[in-house]
Amino acid sequence: FIFVQSGFGLVALESKKKYPNHIAGVIMSGTPINSNSTVAKQNEAYFQQHADAHRKKIDAERRSAWAQKDHSNRSFSEQFINWYIRRDAPRYWHTPDFDCTPVWQGITMSETIHYFFSTLTPSTDTTQNLQKVICPVFLAAGVDDYDCCPIFWKTVPQLPPRMTISMFEKSGHWPHYEEANLFDERIAQWLTQL
């Protein structure tokens, strides 16, 4: 079984399509249906339509503050992590002003991540040939995940035949972190049912 967070769930699904005998199951948390400009526009529209006024206010303030600062003297890793912690918290977390600094403690992001998200994932449509993913798939989807909007998996035709979409009401992009006990319970129940 592979456990993956966010866009890396797309890699797990593509791997299962290419190497059907190597993966027994996939557990995804916060995985988008794809990672490209079309999905980004869809997610932005969802945020504008569904986020409450308080969340939108924090989001606007943080984006404005971010745009006014010069980030050129920071490494890619520093920019990415600060962008995640400061600018985009209202789109990632159930609590819109949550400080996720401890999550990123001691982590350095490789520029390979930039290549992954700017070149590899936009050129891949993971929704194609999902019927080839015949292993069990569990998706943890936070209702306040406005960056990846995993809720949109419910609209994808021909999902993997053994896919379970589990909604987390008090989570954003990280249900395994924000509702850890409930996440563990649901995974245990899902495995038992298998």
Side-chain angles (χ1 to χ4, degrees):
F1 278 68
I2 298 177
F3 173 67
V4 285
Q5 160 70 14
S6 191
F8 301 104
L10 304 175
V11 176
L13 294 174
E14 289 301 308
S15 296
K16 181 61 180 175
K17 291 176 197 175
K18 190 168 183 177
Y19 306 105
N21 299 320
H22 289 78
I23 299 170
V26 177
I27 300 169
M28 305 186 299
S29 186
T31 297
I33 58 172
N34 269 316
S35 182
N36 56 42
S37 59
T38 301
V39 172
K41 288 176 189 171
Q42 182 181 23
N43 293 350
E44 177 64 25
Y46 185 81
F47 175 77
Q48 296 303 332
Q49 185 177 8
H50 294 282
D52 62 41
H54 176 65
R55 185 179 295 275
K56 287 181 182 176
K57 180 178 182 285
I58 295 170
D59 183 71
E61 289 170 352
R62 290 191 174 197
R63 287 178 183 276
S64 175
W66 181 266
Q68 293 173 25
K69 289 185 179 177
D70 177 14
H71 303 281
S72 61
N73 62 338
R74 291 184 169 171
S75 68
F76 167 78
S77 181
E78 291 170 324
Q79 288 183 44
F80 183 93
I81 293 170
N82 278 286
W83 158 77
Y84 205 105
I85 293 170
R86 311 241 183 309
R87 190 191 78 179
D88 283 2
R91 299 194 184 213
Y92 282 124
W93 301 97
H94 175 66
T95 303
D97 58 354
F98 179 69
D99 181 1
C100 68
T101 302
V103 172
W104 294 97
Q105 193 112 25
I107 294 176
T108 301
M109 300 296 291
S110 165
E111 291 207 27
T112 304
I113 295 295
H114 176 67
Y115 179 74
F116 175 77
F117 284 114
S118 67
T119 304
L120 290 181
T121 57
S123 64
T124 303
D125 184 358
T126 303
T127 63
Q128 297 299 307
N129 300 313
L130 280 171
Q131 69 277 7
K132 291 183 177 180
V133 180
I134 57 171
C135 70
V137 177
F138 181 95
L139 170 66
V143 297
D144 291 318
D145 185 347
Y146 295 102
D147 183 70
C148 288
C149 297
I151 194 168
F152 286 131
W153 277 101
K154 291 183 174 185
T155 68
V156 174
Q158 297 184 354
L159 288 173
R162 299 176 71 194
M163 183 171 185
T164 298
I165 301 172
S166 185
M167 300 304 299
F168 287 78
E169 301 295 325
K170 296 179 181 177
S171 290
H173 192 52
W174 296 59
H176 58 287
Y177 181 89
E178 293 183 275
E179 295 181 82
N181 291 336
L182 180 59
F183 178 85
D184 289 350
E185 288 171 17
R186 289 186 181 175
I187 292 296
Q189 183 180 34
W190 176 70
L191 290 170
T192 299
Q193 290 170 350
L194 297 180

